[in-house]
């Protein structure tokens, strides 16, 4: 889920995601096995993310997972463990160039979650509770997120995450590096404030190594490592400009695993994401000045102005097809009536569009429903 705010604004961001993934079967070296014990896992996971940063530029975020792991078989019955996972902290830098958006992040995952030994002699004693969200060591994290917005409210995205364990866990388990990458698209013209996304995710985990409890030698782990391919459809509903609700799914497409591992089935997730601006510099008045020697359209808009948001794609299309026109936008979201009057004398409210001739003189000011006549006015000025 992508959280956005105005480029020069500082914002607090929050995201809560909760989901459930069943693991109804096991594979041995990538092939399904006939398991007479009927062992299975179920994972319920909730993740809380909180961050602070500038719409474009630097920022930071902290992420904490908590989960419920249920497991059982016909021999030992059912057992449930509840616990926190490892805290992840990241710093980020975000840049936008036209329709392109690029974000890079680096950080660490700290061993804050409970961890049960999986390697060495102690693992024999703790064998009954070997599944925990905590992974017992510190990890280095790196993330890249690249997106481009296309016409007709279509977007494309590519994301990638890499993590490397910086030390062995306390029991000697040596985790292998992990890489996850997703490519997909977004589409949102069918219903106002509703968008759809679908991605194809590939995830690779190198096989870990552990200490044999009898020989004390290091061996390849029997239950880690592999390659997974997963489809990730989702639906997002923007309730207000600052808050979005979403529902998503993870649909396994293909996997090749090392050793004996539980294999996931279709998982479902739901949650919300919010971005709340806490510091917004006033829009510079210079933005309202016409461009020298060009026909200029000045669009005064606000995040709370529904006609303004409806007008934006109309003006975007006008700018795209008419190279002799320059568009300048003035964000009046935080202006009161007096400030708006000072900026645009005689204006009673938004939306407002001004069309200037190439010599800098005002050709026409459009207010209210008149703003949707902007293309006709521009054609007259260009003649």
């Amino acid at each position: 889920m992508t959280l956005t705010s105005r480029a020069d604004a500082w914002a607090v961001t929050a995201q809560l995601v909760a989901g459930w993934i069943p693991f109804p079967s096991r594979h041995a070296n990538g092939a399904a096995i006939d398991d007479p014990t009927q062992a299975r896992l179920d994972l319920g996971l909730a993740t809380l993310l909180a961050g602070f940063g500038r719409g474009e530029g630097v920022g930071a975020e902290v992420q904490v997972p908590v989960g419920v792991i249920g497991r059982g078989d016909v021999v030992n019955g059912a057992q449930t463990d509840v616990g926190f996972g490892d805290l992840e902290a990241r710093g980020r830098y975000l840049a936008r160039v036209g329709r392109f958006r690029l974000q890079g992040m680096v950080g660490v995952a700290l061993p804050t979650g409970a961890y049960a030994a999986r390697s060495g002699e102690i693992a024999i004693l703790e064998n009954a509770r070997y599944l925990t969200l905590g992974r017992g060591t510190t990890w280095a994290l790196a993330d890249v997120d690249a997106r481009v917005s296309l016409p007709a409210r279509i977007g494309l995205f590519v994301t990638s995450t890499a993590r490397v364990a910086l030390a062995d866990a306390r029991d000697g388990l040596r985790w292998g590096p992990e890489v996850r990458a997703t490519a997909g698209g977004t589409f949102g013209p069918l219903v106002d404030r509703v968008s759809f996304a679908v991605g194809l995710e590939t995830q690779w985990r190198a096989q870990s190594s552990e200490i044999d409890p009898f020989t004390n030698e290091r061996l390849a782990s029997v239950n880690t490592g592999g390659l997974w391919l997963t489809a990730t459809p989702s639906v997002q509903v923007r309730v207000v400009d600052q808050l979005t609700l979403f529902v998503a799914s993870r649909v396994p497409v293909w996997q090749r695993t090392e050793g004996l591992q539980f294999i996931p089935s279709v998982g479902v997730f739901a949650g919300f994401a919010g971005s709340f601006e806490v510091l917004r510099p006033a829009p510079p008045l210079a933005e309202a000045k016409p461009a020298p020697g060009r026909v200029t359209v000045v669009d005064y808009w606000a995040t709370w102005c529904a006609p303004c948001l409806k007008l934006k794609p109309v003006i975007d299309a006008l700018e795209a097809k008419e190279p002799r026109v320059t568009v300048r936008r003035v964000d009046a979201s935080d202006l009161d009536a007096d400030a708006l009057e000072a900026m645009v004398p005689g204006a009673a409210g938004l939306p407002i569009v001004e069309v200037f001739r190439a010599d800098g003189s005002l050709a026409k000011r459009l207010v209210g429903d008149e703003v949707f006549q902007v293309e006709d006015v521009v054609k007259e000025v260009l003649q």
Side-chain angles (χ1 to χ4, degrees):
M1 185 66 207
T2 302
L3 306 177
T4 60
S5 58
R6 203 177 70 174
D8 57 353
W10 291 84
V12 173
T13 55
Q15 179 173 289
L16 177 64
V17 184
W20 175 72
I21 305 177
F23 294 75
S25 61
R26 288 191 289 180
H27 282 193
N29 295 319
I33 64 172
D34 183 12
D35 185 2
T37 69
Q38 300 178 26
R40 66 168 291 141
L41 291 178
D42 292 284
L43 173 62
L45 183 65
T47 302
L48 175 63
L49 178 149
F52 178 73
R54 198 168 181 265
E56 289 186 24
V58 297
E61 66 180 40
V62 176
Q63 179 174 301
V64 180
V66 60
V68 178
I69 302 175
R71 62 184 181 275
D73 56 53
V74 296
V75 177
N76 300 306
Q79 184 174 350
T80 301
D81 289 335
V82 180
F84 287 95
D86 296 335
L87 181 147
E88 298 183 5
R90 291 175 172 85
R92 62 94 165 154
Y93 188 86
L94 187 153
R96 292 186 179 92
V97 180
R99 296 180 179 271
F100 292 90
R101 174 187 181 276
L102 180 64
Q103 176 175 268
M105 307 180 74
V106 293
V108 294
L110 303 175
T112 56
Y115 175 73
R118 307 185 185 192
S119 177
E121 295 180 3
I122 192 173
I124 299 177
L125 301 177
E126 299 192 11
N127 184 51
R129 51 184 296 270
Y130 74 98
L131 291 173
T132 55
L133 292 180
R135 304 178 76 183
T137 189
T138 301
W139 295 70
L141 312 174
D143 305 80
V144 176
D145 185 314
R147 298 173 184 266
V148 58
S149 298
L150 303 176
R153 297 173 64 183
I154 295 174
L156 302 176
F157 63 88
V158 176
T159 66
S160 181
T161 299
R163 55 177 63 213
V164 178
L166 299 180
D168 294 348
R170 60 179 172 82
D171 59 337
L173 182 68
R174 183 170 298 166
W175 294 97
E178 303 175 4
V179 178
R180 176 182 296 177
T182 304
T186 60
F187 182 60
L190 298 180
V191 181
D192 189 33
R193 292 184 173 270
V194 177
S195 61
F196 306 87
V198 63
L200 191 61
E201 176 189 282
T202 179
Q203 182 178 357
W204 170 78
R205 293 180 183 176
Q207 193 169 15
S208 304
S209 65
E210 58 188 59
I211 299 175
D212 186 287
F214 302 104
T215 66
N216 209 34
E217 296 179 351
R218 183 166 293 280
L219 305 172
S221 174
V222 298
N223 64 348
T224 63
L227 182 66
W228 292 261
L229 193 63
T230 307
T232 58
S234 66
V235 180
Q236 302 177 15
V237 181
R238 185 175 294 276
V239 181
V240 295
D241 290 329
Q242 295 80 20
L243 182 65
T244 298
L245 305 180
F246 56 90
V247 177
S249 180
R250 293 177 58 82
V251 183
V253 176
W254 176 86
Q255 61 274 318
R256 185 187 67 207
T257 55
E258 303 287 348
L260 181 63
Q261 295 192 47
F262 285 95
I263 301 301
S265 183
V266 177
V268 292
F269 298 85
F272 72 84
S275 179
F276 309 95
E277 296 178 352
V278 295
L279 179 61
R280 303 185 64 181
L285 297 181
E287 290 182 357
K289 293 181 180 179
R294 295 179 61 81
V295 173
T296 305
V297 175
V298 180
D299 176 21
Y300 298 85
W301 68 281
T303 56
W304 43 260
C305 172
C308 299
L309 302 180
K310 185 177 180 181
L311 176 66
K312 184 179 183 301
V314 176
I315 293 182
D316 287 344
L318 173 62
E319 183 180 27
K321 70 180 180 181
E322 183 45 75
R324 295 174 292 173
V325 172
T326 295
V327 174
R328 289 184 171 172
R329 287 188 165 90
V330 178
D331 186 352
S333 299
D334 292 335
L335 300 184
D336 56 24
D338 293 339
L340 183 61
E341 168 68 23
M343 180 178 286
V344 188
L350 299 175
I352 302 169
V353 172
E354 293 179 327
V355 180
F356 292 87
R357 302 181 182 91
D359 62 7
S361 62
L362 178 63
K364 193 165 186 177
R365 176 180 295 157
L366 306 172
V367 181
D369 292 339
E370 295 177 343
V371 297
F372 294 98
Q373 303 171 14
V374 60
E375 186 172 3
D376 294 334
V377 174
V378 168
K379 288 179 180 178
E380 292 178 3
V381 174
L382 290 174
Q383 289 178 351

